[in-house]
């Protein structure tokens, strides 16, 4: 995957797909909820997002361990990783 980046309002680099992502319009608490909280709403928003596939690829490539990325939880992404 190409990791073209853009600069966010905070001055940090963000992947190019982030400009299209619905999560860019939502607070981080939505995708990084407290332990035991429902992930249903975050997953539903991801399902409608144009950047979902690129987001998931980014999370897997960068070993993102927390939150909802590409519509999947931490445990769901872990299941996709190859066993060593």
């Amino acid at each position: 995957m190409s990791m073209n980046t853009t600069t966010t309002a905070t001055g940090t680099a963000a992947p190019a797909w982030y400009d299209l992502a619905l999560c860019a319009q939502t607070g981080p608490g939505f995708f990084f909820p407290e332990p035991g909280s429902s992930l249903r709403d975050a997953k539903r928003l991801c399902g409608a997002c144009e950047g979902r596939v690129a987001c998931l690829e980014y999370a897997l490539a960068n070993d993102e361990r927390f939150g909802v990325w590409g519509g999947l939880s931490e445990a769901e992404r872990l299941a996709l990783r190859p066993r060593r």
Side-chain angles (χ1 to χ4, degrees), residues 20-37:
L20 301 173
L22 295 176
C23 61
Q25 303 166 26
T26 309
F30 197 75
F31 295 93
F32 297 91
E34 295 294 320
S37 298

Side-chain angles (χ1 to χ4, degrees), residues 18-80:
Y18 189 75
D19 289 339
L20 301 173
L22 295 176
C23 61
Q25 303 166 26
T26 309
F30 197 75
F31 295 93
F32 297 91
E34 295 294 320
S37 298
S38 175
L39 302 176
R40 181 181 55 220
D41 291 337
K43 287 181 170 191
R44 185 176 299 137
L45 188 63
C46 287
C49 183
E50 291 180 42
R52 185 181 67 77
V53 172
C55 175
L56 179 57
E57 289 175 356
Y58 175 86
L60 293 172
N62 291 282
D63 199 25
E64 292 290 348
R65 301 208 177 188
F66 302 100
V68 175
W69 289 82
L72 300 181
S73 68
E74 301 97 344
E76 292 166 332
R77 288 192 310 278
L78 182 61
L80 289 178

Side-chain angles (χ1 to χ4, degrees), residues 3-8 12-19:
M3 293 307 298
N4 296 327
T5 59
T6 58
T7 303
T8 65
T12 59
W17 55 263
Y18 189 75
D19 289 339

